[in-house]
């Protein structure tokens, strides 16, 4: 049985992430401070939701390799089992390191956008700038670690080769403008890293779910069904069969899950350039709804 770690509240939290992300940029484009604070609060909840999704993807990766170890245990020699266990565990630990780095990266991005709002509204811009500087230094360090991870080094390299020039809207003034002039492309780059790694995580999560499905179908359904002994609990077997076979729905739904990260990145650019449209907002909402559906499918398995 799968861990039911994504609850229904994330359906609303993930939708709220759009408001949070847009709010972090809209404050630069003239949105009221009162509105932005609402957006920022929603953003904190979104960070919790994304954090849970990252943890869940790590759990599924470990579960998938555990299924492989169980499957091969009957086929391999003792020496082969030892080597396979060591190799699988090494990969799991590397993957979990990446998950941890992404959790840090997500939290720091959230804190940075909140710091931008403080920079725009603070009566002491020098102190606000110091906070922004400290967060960005940490973000750069975590980003460098992510890019150096063996799972993502090639993927992020190609993603960072096409960072566009962002022309700030004249509506952005003061200390905030100074900060964004210095770092707007770098912020865009960090969002591009998130997009690239989340795409990789989506592919890995698809693979993990498929591995779990195939192995659990054989171990928990096919073997008990074809055994000489009768099934001890038919109702439980039926429930397991439904849960395992419907994993396919989650796999198919994951195809477009990483689109939300891409749209966040592009929304940031358009907002700073004062080019964000209703049509673009609707497209962003559509992609977020796809991510909501993915979360619900995984939750139900």
């Amino acid at each position: 049985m799968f861990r039911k770690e994504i609850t229904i509240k994330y359906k609303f939290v993930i939708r709220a992430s759009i408001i949070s992300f847009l709010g972090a940029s809209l404050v630069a484009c003239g949105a009221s401070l009162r509105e932005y604070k609402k957006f920022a609060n929603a953003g904190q909840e979104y960070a919790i939701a994304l954090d849970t999704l990252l943890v869940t993807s790590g759990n599924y990766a470990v579960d998938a390799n555990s299924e492989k170890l169980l499957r091969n245990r009957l086929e391999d020699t003792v020496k082969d089992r030892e080597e396979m266990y060591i190799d699988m565990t090494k990969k799991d630990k590397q993957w979990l390191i990446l998950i941890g780095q992404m959790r840090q990266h997500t939290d720091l991005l959230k804190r940075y956008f909140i710091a931008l709002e403080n920079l725009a509204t603070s009566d002491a811009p020098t102190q606000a700038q110091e906070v922004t500087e400290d967060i960005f230094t940490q973000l750069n360090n975590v980003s460098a670690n992510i890019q150096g991870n063996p799972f993502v080094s090639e993927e992020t390299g190609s993603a960072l080769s096409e960072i566009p020039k962002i022309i700030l809207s004249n509506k952005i003034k003061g200390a905030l403008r100074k900060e964004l002039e210095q770092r707007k492309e770098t912020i865009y780059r960090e969002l591009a890293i998130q997009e690239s790694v989340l795409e990789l995580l989506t592919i890995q999560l698809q693979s993990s779910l498929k591995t779990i499905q195939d192995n659990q179908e054989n171990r928990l359904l096919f073997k008990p069904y074809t055994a000489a002994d009768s099934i001890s609990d038919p109702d439980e077997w039926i429930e397991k069969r439904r849960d395992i076979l419907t994993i396919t729905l989650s796999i198919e739904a994951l195809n477009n899950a990483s689109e939300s990260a891409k749209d966040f990145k592009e929304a940031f650019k358009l907002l700073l350039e004062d080019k964000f449209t209703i049509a673009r907002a609707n497209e962003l909402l559509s992609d977020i709804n796809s991510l909501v559906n993915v979360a619900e499918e995984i939750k139900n398995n």
Side-chain angles (χ1 to χ4, degrees), residues 274-288:
D274 199 22
K275 296 178 180 178
F276 200 73
T277 65
I278 295 297
R280 185 68 181 186
N282 289 335
E283 182 181 341
L284 192 58
L285 281 169
S286 176
D287 288 330
I288 288 298

Side-chain angles (χ1 to χ4, degrees), residues 103-157:
R103 294 177 70 188
Q104 287 181 284
H105 195 264
T106 299
D107 181 65
L108 287 166
L109 273 176
K110 177 200 70 177
R111 290 168 55 194
Y112 182 73
F113 280 116
I114 292 175
L116 286 182
E117 184 266 331
N118 292 334
L119 185 62
T121 59
S122 175
D123 294 331
T126 300
Q127 286 86 344
Q129 179 68 52
E130 290 175 357
V131 173
T132 306
E133 185 77 33
D134 179 62
I135 294 172
F136 208 85
T137 298
Q138 295 180 62
L139 186 61
N140 276 333
N141 291 336
V142 174
S143 177
N145 290 334
I146 290 174
Q147 293 175 70
N149 189 290
F151 287 123
V152 302
S153 55
E154 293 184 7
E155 285 77 4
T156 55

